[in-house]
Amino acid sequence: MNRDHQETGRRAESCVYLDYAATTPVAPQVAEAMSRCLGREGLFGNAASRPHRFGVEARTAVERARGQVAELIAADPAEIVWTSGATESINLAVKGAARGACGRGRHIVTSSMEHKAVLDSCVRLVQEGFEVTFVDPDFDGTITPESIERALRRDTILVSLMHVNNEVGTVTDIPAVGRLVREHGIVFHVDASQSAARLPLDVRQMRADLVSLSGHKMYGPKGVGALYARSSCPSPLEPQMHGGDQEQGLRSGTLATHQAVGMGKAAELARERLDKDAEATAALDRRLRDLLEEIPRSFLNGNQRIRVPGILSAGFACIDSEALLMALRDEVAISSGSACTSDRVEPSHVLNALRLSEKAIACSVRFSLGRYTTADEVGFAATRLSETIADLRQLSPGWAEEAMSGPQPRAQEPRWATA
Ligand SMILES: *Cc1c(COP(=O)(O)O)cnc(C)c1O
């Protein structure tokens, strides 16, 4: 057994975890750093308490962690606001920036393939009288800077885009969008939840005013996140949480020392291991992709050339993704659409935004690999997947007919899927 698996306390042979885009396990180094904060001997003081040493110790730990998060994205520590997760960071960024800038205009630009936290924050703002343009990606899941530029208006106050899409893994050219957004003095928010442990991040190069991060998508704990808020952001952020005026008044509430320390340590590890992790994941991703392509009548969703390694969406003709997930549930953990909507079992809004047919969406699943994924796991998952698909197809009335219709073009841009 692989050492990393022993450290994370999970038996690899029992169920292979390929759902890193839904959440990542807490890295052992992170768990250790967090546990040092807990208990009577830990850093239990309130970071806002002064001048006693309990408060000072907690504050020192939280500030050190803030520095680690800042360093991951090349920001100044004073520009990092602790939150409870990317959902809260996004709410503060989108609603806070819109409400803070409403004197200058009421128009917002985002895309139809954003996370629900962005989409639903925008829907809320529409109810308050804001106007939102939801830009559709191309069929391959790319958002071009040109499509954003076309959507800008004289009264646009905010542009909000994700860096890496959590379902198909496509990467948006954030620096290019940032350049044109800044030229117009518009606030630019980037949801970097999926890119933080996968791609190098530099907020200046991105020309972002606001960047949302999530602890549990980068091997830190759940329930903590951060918002980068540029010191010279064109308009003030309206706080969403009121109380003790912590975090420069932007986010009241006693800081969770262990959570901040955990996210800080996770950020430090992500930075140290970025190249190594990215390289290993890229190799496993290529392997998985090759194995998936051997499965008859399979197709990949989204542009494969601008996809981040480790997030891969694939479909299999005549397979109901829910049935596939169910058949594999004790052996391989994958997901259909995004985890946040899978309990409602509605077609993925992201695949919908790519204009995939209902049929193609219903047979699509997402594989997401990460730091602890091994070649054995990928091999095992692909084998069991292939066998299970063959079994399910035997039971599918449509399959015989489908198989008779001859080979389909290898579907990078699945012709029958988007038709
Ligand atoms: C997971 C995720 C979020 C939400 O993050 P939480 O920390 O779970 O609130 C937002 N955006 C993207 C792209 C995500 O993948």
Side-chain angles (χ1 to χ4, degrees):
M1 201 182 356
N2 176 306
R3 252 188 81 237
D4 275 342
H5 286 123
Q6 273 174 352
E7 285 169 2
T8 51
R10 187 173 58 79
R11 283 158 303 143
E13 58 277 15
S14 62
C15 188
V16 171
Y17 186 75
L18 297 182
D19 207 10
Y20 280 80
T23 192
T24 57
V26 172
Q29 301 92 325
V30 169
E32 201 186 306
M34 290 178 72
S35 68
R36 284 199 294 271
C37 299
L38 300 170
R40 273 192 72 191
E41 304 300 317
L43 304 176
F44 70 84
N46 185 328
S49 296
R50 42 192 91 221
H52 60 68
R53 50 173 284 225
F54 297 92
V56 170
E57 278 172 7
R59 189 156 61 249
T60 304
V62 164
E63 293 314 314
R64 178 160 180 266
R66 196 190 302 278
Q68 290 166 319
V69 170
E71 203 171 338
L72 179 68
I73 59 174
D76 191 279
E79 298 173 309
I80 302 295
V81 178
W82 293 114
T83 65
S84 63
T87 296
E88 189 192 330
S89 299
I90 290 167
N91 273 264
L92 175 57
V94 173
K95 293 192 286 196
R99 290 169 184 164
C102 65
R104 297 192 292 126
R106 305 203 126 234
H107 181 240
I108 298 161
V109 174
T110 186
S111 91
S112 55
M113 59 183 238
E114 298 303 306
H115 190 271
K116 289 278 184 182
V118 170
L119 297 178
D120 289 355
S121 291
C122 285
V123 167
R124 175 72 212 176
L125 289 168
V126 168
Q127 290 163 357
E128 292 174 18
F130 288 87
E131 280 180 74
V132 182
T133 301
F134 296 93
V135 174
D136 278 327
D138 287 343
F139 290 107
D140 65 356
T142 47
I143 304 277
T144 61
E146 296 74 39
S147 66
I148 298 301
E149 189 159 34
R150 277 195 300 275
L152 298 181
R153 306 193 323 208
R154 293 184 55 162
D155 59 342
T156 306
I157 48 170
L158 172 69
V159 171
S160 179
L161 290 178
M162 65 198 339
H163 189 194
V164 168
N165 182 271
N166 52 311
E167 287 190 46
V168 290
T170 47
V171 185
T172 297
D173 187 351
I174 293 297
V177 177
R179 200 174 304 125
L180 66 95
V181 169
R182 187 160 293 177
E183 265 170 28
H184 293 88
I186 297 165
V187 179
F188 186 30
H189 168 244
V190 177
D191 174 3
S193 306
Q194 290 294 347
S195 49
R198 297 183 188 274
L199 296 173
L201 293 180
D202 179 332
V203 290
R204 317 275 155 199
Q205 194 218 352
M206 293 162 97
R207 293 176 184 80
D209 298 299
L210 303 163
V211 177
S212 294
L213 299 170
S214 170
H216 75 99
K217 302 289 176 74
M218 48 187 265
Y219 309 94
K222 291 163 189 58
V224 63
L227 178 68
Y228 159 78
R230 187 164 74 103
S231 50
S232 43
C233 182
S235 60
L237 272 189
E238 191 197 277
Q240 307 297 300
M241 204 74 90
H242 304 274
D245 270 351
Q246 287 91 343
E247 300 299 272
Q248 306 166 57
L250 285 173
R251 204 279 190 171
S252 288
T254 302
L255 288 174
T257 310
H258 61 297
Q259 297 290 77
V261 164
M263 183 157 174
K265 186 70 191 174
E268 182 188 82
L269 277 175
R271 196 173 53 83
E272 283 171 7
R273 302 189 45 141
L274 190 70
D275 293 341
K276 194 175 148 201
D277 281 355
E279 210 176 293
T281 303
L284 294 173
D285 183 282
R286 282 193 295 275
R287 179 86 189 116
L288 177 63
R289 201 184 136 175
D290 288 347
L291 292 170
L292 293 181
E293 286 188 333
E294 283 173 21
I295 297 176
R297 308 299 294 277
S298 63
F299 58 88
L300 299 171
N301 296 317
N303 188 318
Q304 299 301 305
R305 287 179 308 283
I306 55 154
R307 184 171 64 80
V308 77
I311 302 180
L312 201 155
S313 171
F316 309 96
C318 295
I319 291 295
D320 171 32
S321 63
E322 296 300 325
L324 182 62
L325 259 50
M326 190 59 87
L328 286 169
R329 68 174 187 256
D330 295 327
E331 295 174 294
V332 185
I334 51 177
S335 80
S336 69
S338 91
C340 309
T341 54
S342 66
D343 56 26
R344 276 181 268 157
V345 196
E346 55 184 32
S348 145
H349 73 275
V350 172
L351 299 182
N352 229 349
L354 270 60
R355 275 84 86 202
L356 257 70
S357 67
E358 247 175 71
K359 194 171 132 187
I361 295 175
C363 66
S364 289
V365 295
R366 177 188 69 188
F367 302 85
S368 46
L369 320 179
R371 185 179 293 166
Y372 306 111
T373 308
T374 65
D376 282 352
E377 287 182 321
V378 167
F380 173 79
T383 304
R384 287 300 299 130
L385 187 80
S386 167
E387 290 166 356
T388 308
I389 286 172
D391 290 348
L392 290 172
R393 279 174 174 169
Q394 288 308 312
L395 305 171
S396 157
W399 175 243
E401 207 179 302
E402 188 82 37
M404 290 288 285
S405 67
Q408 290 283 317
R410 168 103 302 133
Q412 198 142 310
E413 276 31 288
R415 223 178 289 167
W416 64 270
T418 50

